Amino acid sequence: MPVDTTLPYDDQNIFAKILRGEIPNRTVYEDEWALAFHDINPQAPIHILVIPKGAYVSWDDFSAKASEAEIAGFIRAVGHVAREQGLVAPGYRLLANAGINSHQEVPHLHVHLFGGKALGPMLLR
Ligand code: 5GP
Protein backbone atom coordinates (compact mmCIF):
# COMPACT_ATOMS: atom_id res chain seq x y z
CA MET A 1 0.00 0.00 0.00
CA PRO A 2 1.30 3.48 -0.77
CA VAL A 3 1.92 5.66 2.25
CA ASP A 4 1.11 9.30 2.93
CA THR A 5 4.57 10.85 2.95
CA THR A 6 3.26 14.19 4.19
CA LEU A 7 2.92 12.60 7.65
CA PRO A 8 5.73 12.91 10.22
CA TYR A 9 8.52 10.31 10.17
CA ASP A 10 7.42 6.97 11.65
CA ASP A 11 10.37 5.34 13.39
CA GLN A 12 8.58 1.97 13.22
CA ASN A 13 8.94 1.80 9.41
CA ILE A 14 10.78 -1.22 8.07
CA PHE A 15 13.89 0.67 6.96
CA ALA A 16 14.20 2.39 10.34
CA LYS A 17 14.19 -1.12 11.86
CA ILE A 18 16.84 -2.22 9.36
CA LEU A 19 19.00 0.81 10.26
CA ARG A 20 18.70 -0.08 13.97
CA GLY A 21 19.66 -3.68 13.23
CA GLU A 22 16.27 -5.02 14.37
CA ILE A 23 15.61 -6.68 11.00
CA PRO A 24 18.30 -8.44 8.96
CA ASN A 25 19.37 -7.20 5.55
CA ARG A 26 21.93 -8.08 2.89
CA THR A 27 24.20 -5.05 3.15
CA VAL A 28 26.34 -4.14 0.16
CA TYR A 29 27.71 -0.84 1.49
CA GLU A 30 27.57 1.33 4.58
CA ASP A 31 29.16 4.60 5.60
CA GLU A 32 28.41 7.54 7.89
CA TRP A 33 25.60 8.78 5.66
CA ALA A 34 23.99 5.82 3.96
CA LEU A 35 23.19 2.12 4.00
CA ALA A 36 22.78 0.08 0.80
CA PHE A 37 21.24 -3.39 0.78
CA HIS A 38 19.61 -5.83 -1.63
CA ASP A 39 15.88 -5.38 -2.18
CA ILE A 40 13.92 -8.31 -0.73
CA ASN A 41 11.86 -8.61 -3.94
CA PRO A 42 14.30 -7.82 -6.76
CA GLN A 43 12.93 -6.46 -10.04
CA ALA A 44 16.26 -6.80 -11.90
CA PRO A 45 19.39 -8.99 -11.54
CA ILE A 46 20.83 -6.18 -9.41
CA HIS A 47 18.27 -4.32 -7.30
CA ILE A 48 19.78 -2.42 -4.42
CA LEU A 49 18.14 0.09 -2.10
CA VAL A 50 20.23 3.00 -0.86
CA ILE A 51 18.87 4.87 2.15
CA PRO A 52 20.14 7.84 4.13
CA LYS A 53 20.91 7.22 7.79
CA GLY A 54 18.86 10.25 8.80
CA ALA A 55 15.12 10.10 9.48
CA TYR A 56 13.64 11.42 6.22
CA VAL A 57 10.27 10.28 4.90
CA SER A 58 10.79 11.00 1.23
CA TRP A 59 12.81 12.77 -1.43
CA ASP A 60 10.74 15.86 -0.69
CA ASP A 61 11.50 15.75 3.05
CA PHE A 62 15.21 15.04 2.45
CA SER A 63 15.75 17.70 -0.20
CA ALA A 64 14.03 20.32 1.96
CA LYS A 65 15.49 19.49 5.38
CA ALA A 66 18.73 17.49 5.15
CA SER A 67 22.05 19.23 5.69
CA GLU A 68 24.49 19.81 2.84
CA ALA A 69 26.70 17.11 4.33
CA GLU A 70 23.84 14.60 4.49
CA ILE A 71 22.83 15.31 0.90
CA ALA A 72 26.37 15.10 -0.40
CA GLY A 73 27.06 11.95 1.62
CA PHE A 74 23.93 10.21 0.38
CA ILE A 75 24.39 11.12 -3.29
CA ARG A 76 28.03 10.06 -3.15
CA ALA A 77 27.03 6.75 -1.56
CA VAL A 78 24.60 6.02 -4.42
CA GLY A 79 27.34 6.68 -6.96
CA HIS A 80 29.84 4.65 -4.97
CA VAL A 81 27.55 1.61 -4.84
CA ALA A 82 26.90 1.79 -8.60
CA ARG A 83 30.65 1.90 -9.28
CA GLU A 84 31.37 -0.88 -6.78
CA GLN A 85 28.73 -3.07 -8.46
CA GLY A 86 30.42 -2.58 -11.85
CA LEU A 87 27.41 -0.77 -13.28
CA VAL A 88 29.00 2.34 -14.75
CA ALA A 89 30.03 0.88 -18.12
CA PRO A 90 26.90 -1.22 -18.74
CA GLY A 91 24.62 1.41 -17.24
CA TYR A 92 21.97 1.40 -14.58
CA ARG A 93 18.71 3.04 -13.50
CA LEU A 94 17.94 5.05 -10.38
CA LEU A 95 14.40 5.47 -9.11
CA ALA A 96 13.01 7.23 -6.07
CA ASN A 97 9.28 6.95 -5.49
CA ALA A 98 7.88 9.92 -3.60
CA GLY A 99 4.37 9.94 -2.22
CA ILE A 100 0.99 8.43 -3.00
CA ASN A 101 0.94 8.74 -6.79
CA SER A 102 4.36 7.10 -7.06
CA HIS A 103 3.19 4.21 -4.85
CA GLN A 104 5.97 4.74 -2.30
CA GLU A 105 5.44 1.95 0.22
CA VAL A 106 8.15 2.54 2.81
CA PRO A 107 8.16 5.98 4.45
CA HIS A 108 11.94 6.32 4.70
CA LEU A 109 13.67 7.83 1.65
CA HIS A 110 15.20 5.20 -0.59
CA VAL A 111 16.73 5.16 -4.03
CA HIS A 112 16.31 1.98 -6.06
CA LEU A 113 19.42 1.04 -8.05
CA PHE A 114 18.63 -1.36 -10.91
CA GLY A 115 21.13 -3.04 -13.20
CA GLY A 116 22.62 -6.26 -14.43
CA LYS A 117 20.74 -6.39 -17.73
CA ALA A 118 19.46 -4.08 -20.47
CA LEU A 119 16.51 -2.46 -18.71
CA GLY A 120 14.79 -1.12 -21.81
CA PRO A 121 12.94 2.16 -22.02
CA MET A 122 11.25 3.36 -18.86
CA LEU A 123 7.57 2.53 -19.05
CA LEU A 124 4.85 4.07 -16.92
CA ARG A 125 1.74 1.98 -17.04
P1 5GP B 1 8.84 1.65 -2.69
O1 5GP B 1 7.62 1.08 -3.33
O2 5GP B 1 8.55 2.25 -1.32
O3 5GP B 1 9.60 2.59 -3.58
O4 5GP B 1 9.83 0.45 -2.50
C1 5GP B 1 9.94 -0.29 -1.34
C2 5GP B 1 10.88 -1.44 -1.61
O5 5GP B 1 11.28 -2.00 -0.38
C3 5GP B 1 10.26 -2.56 -2.44
O6 5GP B 1 11.01 -2.76 -3.63
C4 5GP B 1 10.31 -3.76 -1.50
O7 5GP B 1 10.58 -4.98 -2.16
C5 5GP B 1 11.41 -3.37 -0.53
N1 5GP B 1 11.26 -3.95 0.80
C6 5GP B 1 10.14 -3.94 1.57
N2 5GP B 1 10.40 -4.52 2.76
C7 5GP B 1 11.69 -4.90 2.73
C8 5GP B 1 12.52 -5.56 3.68
O8 5GP B 1 12.13 -5.91 4.80
N3 5GP B 1 13.81 -5.77 3.31
C9 5GP B 1 14.30 -5.38 2.09
N4 5GP B 1 15.57 -5.65 1.82
N5 5GP B 1 13.53 -4.76 1.18
C10 5GP B 1 12.24 -4.52 1.50
Side-chain angles (χ1 to χ4, degrees):
M1 285 289 291
V3 287
D4 182 353
T5 55
T6 65
L7 295 175
Y9 187 82
D10 171 12
D11 68 4
Q12 293 307 304
N13 80 75
I14 200 95
F15 294 168
K17 291 180 180 179
I18 284 176
L19 278 172
R20 292 195 295 267
E22 295 167 11
I23 290 178
N25 74 92
R26 292 169 56 219
T27 298
V28 299
Y29 177 72
E30 181 170 14
D31 66 17
E32 181 182 357
W33 306 109
L35 176 70
F37 51 96
H38 291 285
D39 195 289
I40 204 167
N41 183 24
Q43 305 296 312
I46 296 173
H47 183 175
I48 291 167
L49 300 169
V50 190
I51 67 175
K53 291 233 167 139
Y56 298 100
V57 176
S58 67
W59 187 272
D60 178 67
D61 190 25
F62 186 69
S63 61
K65 297 184 188 146
S67 69
E68 307 296 312
E70 287 176 300
I71 291 171
F74 178 62
I75 298 292
R76 286 198 186 281
V78 174
H80 179 89
V81 171
R83 285 189 294 278
E84 211 172 54
Q85 294 289 318
L87 294 176
V88 173
Y92 58 96
R93 180 171 290 152
L94 300 177
L95 174 75
N97 291 318
I100 297 282
N101 272 1
S102 75
H103 211 275
Q104 181 179 347
E105 291 193 341
V106 179
H108 181 113
L109 170 63
H110 48 285
V111 168
H112 297 257
L113 170 59
F114 301 105
K117 70 170 189 179
L119 297 165
M122 194 180 76
L123 297 175
L124 297 179
R125 283 174 286 167

